[in-house]
Amino acid sequence: MIWCARCGGALSNRGADRGADRGTDRGTDRGAAPAVDGDAPPAVDGDAAPAAARGGHEACAAALALEPPRFCPRCRRRMKVQVLPTGWVATCVEHGRTQG
Amino acid sequence: MAILDHARAQVLGDGEGLDEAGVLAVLSLPDDEVPAALQLAHEVRMRWCGPEVEVEGIVSLKTGGCPEDCHFCSQSGLFTSPVRSVWLDIPALVEAARQTAATGATEFCIVAAVRRPDERLMAQMREGVAAIRAAVDIQIAASLGMLTQAQVDQLVEMGVHRYNHNLETARSYFPQVVTTHTYQERWETLRMVRDAGLEVCCGGILGLGESIGQRAEFAVELAALAPHEVPLNFLNPRPGTPLGDRPIVDGRDALRAIAAFRLALPRTILRYAGGREITLGDLGTRDGLLGGINAVIVGNYLTTLGRPAADDLALLEELRMPVKALSATL
């Protein structure tokens, strides 16, 4: 499974995680808010997933042009993000730093 | 058009800003008169401020986890925003200042998401400001929330030359936006900052749900404060905040506001700040710079990304607007 870096919703399924098929987004279609910093968030019923998570995340992709990623695309943990004048650094407690 | 004729005589001719009724009239102009308002605002800016544009970069020293409930802010710890709390270390702060200076900017503003600074934050500021001053040729501003008189004095000692503390919106609308502190508390910090000789930077955000009348009220309240700089933000609705579903300010209304604020504040640095990218896009940046704006924040903001600094600098060159030199600010 790959997770949307903006809303934390399911982005695509590589077939490795059956549980992820059920939908795992935890917020509105304007962005999800995890309950616990850095912890793997709990799964919720697929019907509760926002439209963006059920669709192609076009709005998220557009928004990411002006936002740093907030969720780790590998594990969906909420990352610590430092925005700098000419870039950003995002840190996942499990998967380390990415920057752009 | 009567209001623009009046403004031409009073604001352009005498350098005296419009009153609240005049600002409201500009904010209420029909679409086909907006270009004329922007042209007049540009003439006012050129006459009373000159052609230079002040370029600034900003960075968040302490992000997220704020105890206040400013309804527009993704850094409040009271909302379910995806923004996590994080501190910037001193080497990274100095590098951010260096990157900012490399764009040609003369201002570097250090911002913290707090109600007011505690001892830890003031110590971090003291160390950070000293390190920047030793390594980078740039003016340092700060935005650390509400201050005590002792903290104002400490910032002066550190060498901070400008302090940002936004009133955010009209006094009459402020309680709809913030409930954990008052407009008057913010005003008190601004008074101490000004009395201490620091340059005052005070602006706000348009599109919080205020009426057009309250926009006019806000402009004249700022004029009464007579700040050195007014940063003009447009709401970028943030996920998880109480204003997360607010519509984006209409581009034409944003341009009306730029003209109106310039006509209320003819001699002030009027800075394009957050939200311009989504409200106005690339063309809007040009229109604003030709409509009364004479300062920009380049690069990224505190939690969101901005236009590449190179794009703004190229636009200034195309418009033949010189970037204010550091020597001109000292």
Side-chain angles (χ1 to χ4, degrees):
Chain A
M1 180 63 70
I2 299 174
W3 307 100
C4 175
R6 180 188 184 231
C7 76
L11 199 59
S12 68
N13 193 331
R14 288 173 171 166
D17 183 354
R18 173 71 179 153
D21 285 340
R22 299 178 59 244
T24 51
D25 207 287
R26 293 161 301 124
T28 70
D29 60 359
R30 298 196 63 83
V36 182
D37 289 345
D39 287 348
V44 297
D45 188 280
D47 292 341
R54 295 192 298 271
H57 290 268
E58 292 87 354
C60 291
L64 280 170
L66 289 173
E67 293 184 27
R70 294 288 172 191
F71 296 92
C72 177
R74 294 177 63 187
C75 69
R76 198 165 56 99
R77 285 182 174 86
R78 195 168 59 157
M79 297 188 290
K80 286 190 172 181
V81 179
Q82 178 70 57
V83 175
L84 299 164
T86 58
W88 50 264
V89 177
T91 305
C92 170
V93 68
E94 179 68 21
H95 296 105
R97 280 165 51 112
T98 53
Q99 60 187 46
Chain B
M1 232 14 149
I3 181 57
L4 296 186
D5 292 337
H6 170 67
R8 181 168 292 280
Q10 176 178 313
V11 188
L12 182 61
D14 301 334
E16 182 184 341
L18 292 178
D19 62 12
E20 187 170 337
V23 175
L24 180 57
V26 174
L27 289 170
S28 305
L29 284 171
D31 283 355
D32 62 355
E33 294 185 24
V34 173
L38 290 167
Q39 174 60 35
L40 176 58
H42 182 59
E43 291 176 45
V44 167
R45 166 265 174 117
M46 294 296 279
R47 171 155 189 192
W48 296 105
C49 301
E52 292 184 324
V53 174
E54 190 183 86
V55 176
E56 178 186 56
I58 62 175
V59 75
S60 179
L61 179 60
K62 184 259 177 186
T63 302
C66 181
E68 303 304 288
D69 74 344
C70 307
H71 289 13
F72 52 82
C73 186
S74 63
Q75 298 194 64
S76 172
L78 303 176
F79 311 140
T80 54
S81 158
V83 174
R84 287 188 64 188
S85 183
V86 60
W87 283 73
L88 189 64
D89 62 28
I90 299 300
L93 179 67
V94 174
E95 179 56 28
R98 190 176 282 116
Q99 290 174 2
T100 298
T103 68
T106 56
E107 294 281 328
F108 180 65
C109 188
I110 304 170
V111 185
V114 293
R115 174 181 173 85
R116 62 173 73 254
D118 58 13
E119 288 186 12
R120 177 190 179 196
L121 180 56
M122 290 301 287
Q124 185 89 339
M125 276 296 293
R126 185 176 297 280
E127 185 180 351
V129 170
I132 292 168
R133 294 183 75 190
V136 186
D137 201 13
I138 198 163
Q139 301 253 51
I140 301 171
S143 182
L144 312 173
M146 293 179 283
L147 300 175
T148 64
Q149 184 62 58
Q151 289 169 333
V152 172
D153 296 341
Q154 288 170 41
L155 291 175
V156 173
E157 289 170 13
M158 290 177 204
V160 170
H161 89 117
R162 185 179 296 174
Y163 193 77
N164 165 263
H165 196 50
N166 289 340
L167 289 170
E168 306 298 9
T169 191
R171 180 189 289 269
S172 67
Y173 193 64
F174 189 89
Q176 307 300 313
V177 177
V178 184
T179 69
T180 47
H181 59 269
T182 66
Y183 188 95
Q184 191 58 40
E185 286 178 277
R186 291 200 180 210
W187 189 275
E188 182 61 19
T189 288
L190 291 163
R191 184 195 60 76
M192 287 190 288
V193 165
R194 183 172 54 192
D195 290 352
L198 286 167
E199 291 183 358
V200 173
C201 171
C202 179
I205 307 173
L206 303 184
L208 301 176
E210 76 281 1
S211 67
I212 297 300
Q214 285 166 324
R215 240 170 244 183
E217 175 193 339
F218 181 41
V220 296
E221 286 167 349
L222 289 173
L225 178 68
H228 195 84
E229 173 192 336
V230 170
L232 202 54
N233 297 270
F234 302 100
L235 180 69
N236 179 355
R238 306 313 304 150
T241 66
L243 299 182
D245 292 323
R246 287 283 317 161
I248 292 168
V249 175
D250 175 76
R252 189 65 66 170
D253 285 341
L255 292 174
R256 279 188 186 87
I258 289 168
F261 275 62
R262 170 54 71 198
L263 296 176
L265 297 146
R267 302 166 194 264
T268 300
I269 295 172
L270 188 59
R271 188 180 303 280
Y272 249 149
R276 67 180 156 114
E277 291 84 357
I278 61 165
T279 298
L280 289 160
D282 292 343
L283 287 177
T285 297
R286 173 191 297 268
D287 291 345
L289 284 164
L290 291 171
I293 294 287
N294 68 331
V296 292
I297 291 175
V298 293
N300 296 331
Y301 301 106
L302 302 176
T303 63
T304 60
L305 310 182
R307 272 162 52 102
D311 289 1
D312 282 335
L313 297 172
L315 178 58
L316 294 179
E317 187 170 343
E318 180 190 331
L319 297 175
R320 297 172 187 253
M321 293 183 182
V323 175
K324 189 175 182 179
L326 189 62
S327 58
T329 67
L330 294 173

